[in-house]
Amino acid sequence: MNIALDGPSGAGKSTVAKALAKRLGIIYVDTGALYRTIGLYVRNKGIDKEDEKSVIDCLSEINLNMEFINGEQIITLNGVNVGDTIRTGEIAMYASRVSAIPEVRAFLLETQRKIARENSVVMDGRDIGTVILPNAEVKIFMTASAEARAMRRYKELVAKGEDCTFESVLADINLRDKNDSTRKTAPAIPAEDAVFLDNSDLDIEGTVERAIEIINEKVK
Ligand code: DC
């Protein structure tokens, strides 16, 4: 079974996808981590994230591997586990820019499809239902208001000890939404056959329950 879970940044996709994977006994695939890994490489090489040509040129130097150990996704970049180094606001911005480049998306396409061919997955991303897995049995487009998403992300960052303000997190979310939804290649928009799940007023459990209902309706 393939479940595509798309939606904007900070809608809680990863939390919900993890819970769904556990409940259903399938693998959780975080595709944003792949774009973040490319962003990390670009940043570490000192390449300007707006410099498309240099980003495209450096792809040939990248050997990226994604595997699952005890259900946990491990990404290696030229043989080194990237771990949490991709989980910063700075790398999120690099990821947002590089993910708008068609060559970057093409570079990561087969890695994503192969995992879904070989396993039952719940795959979280932006274009899973539209581009990566157009035949997924279940497609959910999960969203929440920009303010609700910014508040959740802000609390997460504060808990991690990052120095930020709610306003700066909201501005980042708005900027990333704009980049992600207006880019020419694979914009973050719902597939025609996706079911909307707006969780502005739902907690995690409520969102997971609603997602399970959607899945049960689709696969019965
Ligand atoms: O989900 P995330 O915040 O880890 O994603 C990081 C960036 O990567 C985000 O700005 C959008 C982009 N992305 C994408 O374009 N397509 C995906 N399938 C997943 C993420």
Side-chain angles (χ1 to χ4, degrees):
M1 176 164 65
N2 286 175
I3 303 171
L5 184 62
D6 291 303
S9 307
K13 297 189 300 294
S14 64
T15 310
V16 170
K18 270 183 211 153
L20 289 175
K22 207 167 173 192
R23 282 266 284 264
L24 302 169
I26 64 179
I27 286 180
Y28 161 53
V29 186
D30 167 12
T31 63
L34 297 171
Y35 295 92
R36 285 172 182 262
T37 301
I38 306 287
L40 177 73
Y41 187 79
V42 166
R43 200 277 311 262
N44 288 352
K45 269 222 110 182
I47 296 171
D48 181 343
K49 57 185 179 311
E50 313 295 330
D51 179 357
E52 283 199 17
K53 185 178 179 309
S54 299
V55 173
I56 295 166
D57 286 347
C58 83
L59 291 175
S60 62
E61 302 162 11
I62 297 179
N63 185 357
L64 194 149
N65 188 50
M66 175 155 74
E67 59 183 343
F68 291 83
I69 297 178
N70 297 328
E72 196 201 337
Q73 175 174 303
I74 309 284
I75 296 182
T76 55
L77 170 62
N78 295 336
V80 178
N81 182 351
V82 296
D84 280 344
T85 58
I86 57 172
R87 304 281 161 209
T88 67
E90 185 196 10
I91 296 300
M93 275 303 163
Y94 272 82
S96 180
R97 298 310 306 184
V98 302
S99 67
I101 303 172
E103 285 81 352
V104 170
R105 305 200 73 84
F107 182 76
L108 297 174
L109 181 82
E110 184 50 24
T111 305
Q112 297 169 81
R113 285 201 177 146
K114 184 167 184 280
I115 285 188
R117 261 199 314 273
E118 294 174 353
N119 302 277
S120 280
V121 297
V122 49
M123 191 174 276
D124 136 16
R126 303 295 188 290
D127 63 340
I128 310 305
T130 50
V131 177
I132 308 293
L133 305 177
N135 297 322
E137 286 87 345
V138 185
K139 298 180 185 179
I140 299 176
F141 195 83
M142 210 166 101
T143 187
S145 69
E147 287 72 17
R149 289 183 283 128
M151 184 48 81
R152 292 174 195 158
R153 185 59 53 103
Y154 171 68
K155 285 182 180 162
E156 263 171 39
L157 292 173
V158 169
K160 277 204 281 181
E162 274 199 40
D163 186 19
C164 60
T165 63
F166 172 73
E167 287 69 27
S168 68
V169 176
L170 179 61
D172 275 3
I173 290 233
N174 281 326
L175 180 61
R176 280 218 280 160
D177 278 0
K178 187 161 169 280
N179 288 345
D180 296 346
S181 64
T182 59
R183 68 183 175 215
K184 285 204 197 74
T185 309
I189 52 170
E192 263 177 31
D193 51 349
V195 179
F196 266 84
L197 202 178
D198 185 320
N199 65 22
S200 304
D201 299 318
L202 290 174
D203 60 11
I204 294 166
E205 271 145 45
T207 310
V208 172
E209 287 315 317
R210 179 68 197 116
I212 293 278
E213 274 172 28
I214 294 169
I215 293 164
N216 286 339
E217 277 161 26
K218 286 281 175 188
V219 295
K220 75 176 170 220

